[in-house]
Amino acid sequence: MKKKIVIALGHDALGTTLPEQKEATRRTAKAVAEYIQKDYEVVITHSNGPQVGMIHEAMTELHRKDDAYTVTPMSVCSAMSQGYIGYDLQNAIRSELISRGIYKPVSTILTQVTVDPYDEAFYKPTKIIGESMTKDEAMEEDSKGNHVIETESGWKRIVATPKPLSIVEIDGIKALMEAGQVVIAAGGGGIPVLVQDNQLKGASAVVEKDTVAGLLASELDADLLVILTGVDKVCLNYGRADEKPLDYMSVKDAKKYMAEGQFEAGTMLPKIQAAIDFIGDSAIRKVLITKLDPKGTALGGQNGTMIGK
């Protein structure tokens, strides 16, 4: 059987602005094509922080100029970001594959993830989103039931980051993968939804992308999860004089380092937790945390930290 790999693209692999994203996805496509050329079954997921923030700000500004346009919910902003990031990614990968003589379809699936309405995160939102507001605008948001916080640059909305329970479109992702397609799915952590009878309702939340990457890799029974980030390797004592890069880390050591507080919340910690959850008790599954080479070619374990049992 072919080996299965899930590649989780971070901010560096996508850029921020539209021109940056177009260029970044071309470099990323080279790295993805390396695995496809080695006959892996590939599923890709990605971050969307700058992109979803840009969409949310643009739609909010449109509402301010013309109240005929309603404020766009976070779930819809997430769906929009999945669409336009997937558009650039699938075209870049398709072009790179054709240039190598590989003819393989590339598809993007708008992906929803279910969350628990009673998740503790909804009572303690922490994720700052959108542009700055005046105090009056913030109080208006608060009166609508939205959470706000005062920052150095002004008042901003904050939303919850609940744990994902399941991937709604997982059967579709599996079907496309088994049909030999390269699949882009669960972008930005997926679109968070609440199950209400036979309906799915968008939640005012953002799901941690690394957590969903681990869940996606588990659901697909992948052999390898590659998490692209902004550093070459996972480091102990990061940013200090005695910083120590790691080539390999066992799950046991990863848990020990987490307990010691070695990994910062919101950056490396969710990646390590996703790796631990994905590997579990498996002696086969592995996770590579690494940085994309500027030329988009270094994705084979030459750099990065490999995590295994």
Side-chain angles (χ1 to χ4, degrees):
M1 292 179 65
K2 292 184 179 180
K3 287 188 175 181
K4 302 174 187 175
I5 180 173
V6 171
I7 303 175
L9 307 177
H11 167 64
D12 287 354
L14 293 175
T16 300
T17 65
L18 289 173
E20 281 182 9
Q21 180 173 297
K22 186 77 72 175
E23 182 59 33
T25 52
R26 289 195 189 101
R27 293 195 303 272
T28 301
K30 295 180 184 297
V32 172
E34 289 290 319
Y35 281 111
I36 296 169
Q37 199 156 28
K38 292 174 183 176
D39 215 24
Y40 277 86
E41 291 183 334
V42 177
V43 174
I44 300 157
T45 187
H46 57 80
S47 66
N48 73 340
Q51 291 85 354
V52 77
M54 180 172 61
I55 292 168
H56 185 267
E57 288 185 24
M59 301 307 290
T60 300
E61 186 61 26
L62 179 61
H63 168 68
R64 287 175 180 170
K65 290 183 176 181
D66 186 349
D67 59 13
Y69 294 94
T70 58
V71 175
T72 308
M74 279 304 299
S75 55
V76 176
C77 292
S78 179
M80 290 178 176
S81 72
Q82 282 190 15
Y84 98 81
I85 293 172
Y87 164 69
D88 276 345
L89 265 178
Q90 68 183 37
N91 283 343
I93 295 168
R94 175 182 178 275
S95 295
E96 180 63 28
L97 292 177
I98 290 174
S99 73
R100 298 178 184 220
I102 301 170
Y103 300 92
K104 184 181 283 284
V106 187
S107 300
T108 300
I109 291 187
L110 288 182
T111 312
Q112 303 170 95
V113 295
T114 62
V115 297
D116 183 351
Y118 301 107
D119 191 303
E120 188 175 328
F122 283 111
Y123 303 99
K124 298 177 182 178
T126 58
K127 187 76 170 181
I128 297 175
I129 62 164
E131 64 178 10
S132 297
M133 299 177 283
T134 65
K135 185 175 182 179
D136 288 343
E137 289 170 336
M139 293 306 101
E140 183 181 350
E141 288 295 323
D142 184 71
S143 68
K144 297 175 184 176
N146 295 321
H147 296 275
V148 294
I149 189 173
E150 188 175 12
T151 69
E152 291 182 359
S153 59
W155 289 82
K156 290 194 173 185
R157 269 195 67 189
I158 53 173
V159 296
T161 52
K163 182 179 179 180
L165 300 178
S166 64
I167 298 171
V168 177
E169 286 78 18
I170 191 64
D171 289 340
I173 296 168
K174 288 179 178 178
L176 286 174
M177 183 182 70
E178 289 166 4
Q181 297 204 27
V182 180
V183 187
I184 301 163
I191 305 162
V193 293
L194 305 171
V195 179
Q196 297 183 345
D197 296 325
N198 63 341
Q199 295 186 348
L200 298 174
K201 181 181 179 182
S204 182
V206 173
V207 179
E208 172 56 56
K209 63 180 177 58
D210 295 314
T211 306
V212 172
L215 177 60
L216 178 63
S218 294
E219 290 283 347
L220 296 174
D221 194 21
D223 299 278
L224 177 65
L225 169 62
V226 176
I227 301 177
L228 294 183
T229 185
V231 294
D232 290 318
K233 298 177 187 291
V234 178
C235 296
L236 301 181
N237 308 320
Y238 181 70
R240 289 164 33 184
D242 58 345
E243 179 177 295
K244 181 183 177 182
L246 301 174
D247 293 321
Y248 181 84
M249 180 167 49
S250 69
V251 169
K252 181 179 178 181
D253 284 342
K255 291 178 179 178
K256 182 184 77 169
Y257 297 145
M258 282 178 60
E260 293 173 356
Q262 283 283 353
F263 309 121
E264 187 176 349
T267 55
M268 190 55 70
L269 182 60
K271 295 172 176 57
I272 301 298
Q273 185 63 65
I276 292 170
D277 292 343
F278 166 62
I279 295 170
D281 295 325
S282 173
I284 298 173
R285 293 179 176 181
K286 287 183 169 53
V287 175
L288 174 64
I289 299 178
T290 189
K291 182 178 181 178
L292 183 67
D293 183 273
K295 295 180 181 179
T297 56
L299 259 193
Q302 309 97 311
N303 291 317
T305 302
M306 189 70 77
I307 305 174
K309 192 60 180 176

